[in-house]
Amino acid sequence: MMDELDRQLINWLQGGLPIAEAPFAAAAAALGLAEDEVVQRLRRLAELRVLSRVGPMYDAVRLGGGLTLAAMAVPEARFDEVAELVNAYPEVAHNYRREHRWNMWFVLATERPERVGELLAEIAARTGLAVLDLPKEAEYFLALRLPA
Amino acid sequence: MDLTGEQHALLAALADGLPLVAEPYAALGQRLGWSEAAVLDGIRTLVEEGVIKRFGVVVRHHELGYRANAMVVFDLPDDELQAAARILAARPAVTLCYRRPRRLPRWPYNLFCMIHGRDRARVLAEVEAATTAAGIAQRPRAVLFSKRRFKQQAARYGGEAAA
């Protein structure tokens, strides 16, 4: 599946990709690989779905959009039904089940900021369940670096 | 922020990430009918304006072998939060650290961290070590392990996984 060079490559790229003509050449030089091999490895890692994407991470708020983390306390018997309803919204970027009374956690990203409140109210009305709106107020780190 | 038509076109072209070829910016330019230099300038401007926060790889934790992830939440006094958050955020296992509003009486926690580990025991050990290092071991907290990922789609423009 993944070898040591794949892990080194992922670690290197998590530090940021150069915005320059041949961005993978710098990774190749750092790891002692040919540029073409870096590209081939990235294609394979994308096929294996270890990498979901090589590219930009956006700041939705700077883009003019709305973004929040929402939580719901869903009764066990209704979990699948509510998950299906929530996940059907294209604005729901991801949804995790967590072990807690507040057991459904999803990220909502909308093109217009006011749409966040509208959608959360709609989900609350359709499910009859409370929805916590927990937007980010301050951020203390964002380098999503995981040693591979 | 008001984006120009060109910026919208560039963001749309980047929505699925860079083409995995040796000269990906040139390939994007071909798709847009732009020069490679125009693509690079456009991306640099979006970075300067803060629309693009980071340019790199988006990894899937589970597929990388990080089988356990927990959202660890704390109820910290306002005057303690920032110093503790900076110590937590500097730890390698802590990938995100955000202040969010309390929603009393339902939700008392105001600091959220994501902690990834290869298994639950390692995540819990890290919670102990990190909270001790930050001087908040005695503060109220909850550890919410994820059980199941229902949906994880690459953030399109307008969205970002790390909300």
Side-chain angles (χ1 to χ4, degrees), chain A residues 17 19 43 49-50 52-55 57 59 62 87 94 97 133-134 137-138 140 146-147, chain B residues 18 20 44 49 51 53-56 58 60-61 66 97 99-100 103 120 145 147-148 151 160:
Chain A
L17 191 70
I19 302 170
R43 286 188 184 162
R49 298 178 60 79
V50 170
S52 64
R53 206 157 49 100
V54 177
M57 306 282 287
D59 184 325
R62 295 300 291 271
N87 290 348
H94 57 184
R97 178 168 187 166
D133 178 12
L134 302 166
E137 291 180 337
Y140 299 96
L146 294 170
Chain B
L18 288 180
L20 296 177
R44 288 185 187 123
E49 291 179 352
V51 171
K53 295 193 279 204
R54 213 160 57 81
F55 221 80
V58 180
R60 291 175 179 265
H61 309 124
Y66 286 81
C97 195
R99 177 161 60 85
R100 299 182 185 277
R103 298 297 188 198
R120 288 185 178 216
F145 278 105
K147 272 179 103 163
R148 191 147 56 107
K151 184 170 182 180
E160 159 55 5

Side-chain angles (χ1 to χ4, degrees), chain B residues 13-88:
Chain B
L14 280 168
D16 293 319
L18 288 180
L20 296 177
V21 296
E23 297 182 346
Y25 303 106
L28 276 180
Q30 282 185 354
R31 206 183 291 172
L32 288 161
W34 298 8
S35 69
E36 181 180 34
V39 171
L40 288 167
D41 282 348
I43 290 173
R44 288 185 187 123
T45 301
L46 289 169
V47 172
E48 281 160 19
E49 291 179 352
V51 171
I52 293 177
K53 295 193 279 204
R54 213 160 57 81
F55 221 80
V57 294
V58 180
V59 298
R60 291 175 179 265
H61 309 124
H62 193 78
E63 284 74 359
L64 258 185
Y66 286 81
R67 303 290 184 216
N69 90 75
M71 184 172 75
V72 186
V73 295
F74 303 92
D75 174 14
L76 298 183
D78 291 344
D79 61 356
E80 228 176 76
L81 187 141
Q82 182 167 306
R86 287 186 173 154
I87 293 169
L88 294 175

Side-chain angles (χ1 to χ4, degrees), chain A residues 57 139-144, chain B residues 53-54 95-96 98 160 162:
Chain A
M57 306 282 287
E139 174 179 332
Y140 299 96
F141 197 54
L142 205 118
L144 193 65
Chain B
K53 295 193 279 204
R54 213 160 57 81
T95 52
L96 298 169
Y98 293 153
E160 159 55 5

